[in-house]
Amino acid sequence: DVKVTQSSRYLVKRTGEKVFLECVQDMDHENMFWYRQDPGLGLRLIYFSYDVKMKEKGDIPEGYSVSREKKERFSLILESASTNQTSMYLCASSRGQGTQYFGPGTRLTVL
Amino acid sequence: GENVEQHPSTLSVQEGDSAVIKCTYSDSASNYFPWYKQELGKRPQLIIDIRSNVGEKKDQRIAVTLNKTAKHFSLHITETQPEDSAVYFCAASFTGNQFYFGTGTSLTVIP
């Protein structure tokens, strides 16, 4: 059974703080993704990675960076959190053009 | 890039009736179309998918149809039950490295 876990379910940070969101998958998937989910906007891709140390920008990369030092772990970094980054963040992983398996999500509030 | 539009944004049906959700896509190169169900407070989960070499796929009460010429695909749920109440997302992908999601349909099944 595929398991995708995220480091926190809920997170509250202050404007200007550096924020790290971590995602770990246990199925040796080469692809990993970070999305943000906002009401009425669906899931929007921030960044994805198709291999260790490889990353590609998605539709809304501004204000975010990512790190993938190990195959199973994909981190999303908010260098200087802002209130408009308050959102639900979902991580996902997949093999090839296969099913995406999602993590439980992190609800981030930036005050 | 790809643009996926999903309609309707909300849908209410009586238990036992059918529900249909439609998505259109813009990039004719897209060849993989998954549908995800997200129950309240839970992660999105794949319920059915279709590839561009197939026109229709069925799994019990759920079916997906694809019209490549018109660039649209639809989710059909028959004999709806209260547990079908959720948000449904369509998506389109060409490479499997990047998925483009619709904005979601909130389905309510009224007992």
Side-chain angles (χ1 to χ4, degrees):
Chain A
D1 202 21
V2 175
K3 198 170 182 184
V4 181
T5 57
Q6 294 182 227
S7 49
S8 306
R9 289 301 304 271
Y10 300 93
L11 209 51
V12 180
K13 296 291 182 182
R14 297 219 172 263
T15 302
E17 280 192 83
K18 192 168 186 175
V19 182
F20 293 87
L21 303 182
E22 284 212 318
C23 175
V24 178
Q25 50 95 4
D26 67 356
M27 282 302 289
D28 200 37
H29 286 168
E30 65 269 23
N31 299 327
M32 295 189 76
F33 309 81
W34 275 107
Y35 294 92
R36 66 177 277 178
Q37 183 175 20
D38 300 289
L41 297 178
L43 281 75
R44 293 181 293 166
L45 182 65
I46 305 171
Y47 268 96
F48 67 95
S49 168
Y50 52 90
D51 201 352
V52 175
K53 296 192 187 293
M54 306 303 288
K55 60 186 179 185
E56 292 284 344
K57 292 180 180 178
D59 297 321
I60 52 165
E62 297 78 20
Y64 303 94
S65 62
V66 290
S67 172
R68 192 162 180 206
E69 296 296 320
K70 293 186 177 181
K71 192 174 185 179
E72 67 270 19
R73 191 179 299 267
F74 192 33
S75 300
L76 180 69
I77 303 150
L78 287 67
E79 295 290 340
S80 177
S82 63
T83 54
N84 62 12
Q85 292 178 309
T86 291
S87 187
M88 171 68 83
Y89 290 87
L90 287 165
C91 172
S93 73
S94 72
R95 174 173 290 121
Q97 200 185 46
T99 304
Q100 284 198 325
Y101 294 89
F102 285 86
T106 295
R107 185 166 294 282
L108 172 67
T109 302
V110 183
L111 301 175
Chain B
E2 175 65 278
N3 181 44
V4 177
E5 294 191 358
Q6 183 172 347
H7 299 280
S9 56
T10 60
L11 181 60
S12 291
V13 299
Q14 290 291 138
E15 183 177 356
D17 286 351
S18 295
V20 180
I21 302 169
K22 297 181 180 178
C23 288
T24 61
Y25 61 99
S26 60
D27 189 347
S28 55
S30 290
N31 58 6
Y32 176 59
F33 307 93
W35 284 89
Y36 288 84
K37 175 184 180 182
Q38 186 176 28
E39 296 175 26
L40 192 62
K42 297 192 175 179
R43 69 190 77 189
Q45 291 197 300
L46 180 79
I47 54 171
I48 196 166
D49 57 8
I50 192 167
R51 298 190 185 269
S52 58
N53 57 348
V54 175
E56 184 174 357
K57 185 175 178 181
K58 207 169 180 180
D59 183 4
Q60 300 183 333
R61 296 184 299 108
I62 294 173
V64 57
T65 58
L66 171 65
N67 183 328
K68 285 191 295 182
T69 304
K71 287 190 275 189
H72 68 71
F73 56 112
S74 300
L75 178 71
H76 304 255
I77 307 174
T78 58
E79 299 170 23
T80 53
Q81 300 167 5
E83 51 265 37
D84 295 328
S85 294
V87 177
Y88 292 81
F89 292 98
C90 63
S93 173
F94 168 54
T95 62
N97 286 349
Q98 195 154 2
F99 287 76
Y100 297 88
F101 282 81
T103 50
T105 296
S106 178
L107 173 65
T108 302
V109 179
I110 304 162

